[in-house]
Amino acid sequence: MSKHSEIKKITVNHFAKMKQENEKITCLTAYDYTSAMILDEAGIELVLVGDSLGVVMNGYENTIPVTLDEVIYHTKAVKRGLKRSFLVLDMPFGTYHESEEKALTNCIRAIKESGAEAVKIEGGAEKAPLVKKLVNSGINVMGHIGLMPQSIHTMGGFKVQGRDGVEKYIEDAKALEEAGIFSLVLEGLVADVATSVTKAVDIPTIGIGAGKGCDGQILVFHDVFGLFDDFIPKFVKRYADAKTELVKAAQDYIGDVKSSVFPDDKHSYLR
Ligand code: KIV
């Protein structure tokens, strides 16, 4: 039992403390009420309604087409399933890029309508002025650097980042920290670079494909539980094989219905 596992409701104040106390932060994505309840009951500290919902929930090729309406819809459902976990909403591509004013309007709408306690935005030092504006307006912000899926077209695809050195990432992390982010996602980053970034800042880093030197870890719900196998990145560790189980269960159901084994008297209303 860790110290923080006894806390009734995780708030933004817990994460910096967890870093100071060397306690790893556990995070997963969720997109609906039932999944949220499962993660909350398990004790996951931070739940992100990622724009990855476009891929695993809607079958889009990438996260670019995801809209603010979609993310708000899923976040509202997740919110209803959480009692203890901290809830973060991932701002989709195009909702914080046009101007700081529009970004602020969209983030305020996201927080007000969804019930999320923070937003996540992708980008390095160039996003620091926006982060400052959001934080000054009362919005908690989680940063995201390294592989940024919303920039795959300019990055030239889903490529591991950081092979070219560590300085740029440390500068980005420090600028975002200075602007007021409460935590920073490091995605698809060479492990030793992620470790150096983690050591360079006081706010916690949350890794996904960024090695064990980060202060916490996050994975996509469907990857962790083996629900999605269109592609499985190297960094994904599966803790269940739910798709195989569900296909098997569906086949058992088909067999039972076809052979009139189901419904039996136990599952019928009798006189
Ligand atoms: O959209 C997402 O799921 C993310 C991750 C950090 C997992 O941004």
Side-chain angles (χ1 to χ4, degrees), residues 224-242:
V224 171
F225 299 118
L227 280 162
F228 183 82
D229 56 12
D230 285 8
F231 53 88
I232 306 169
K234 175 183 159 77
F235 60 79
V236 168
K237 181 171 176 185
R238 289 189 151 183
Y239 287 83
D241 190 6

Side-chain angles (χ1 to χ4, degrees), residues 62 64 93 148-157:
N62 54 51
I64 308 285
F93 178 68
M148 294 178 285
Q150 293 177 10
S151 303
I152 44 156
H153 296 317
T154 48
M155 285 183 144

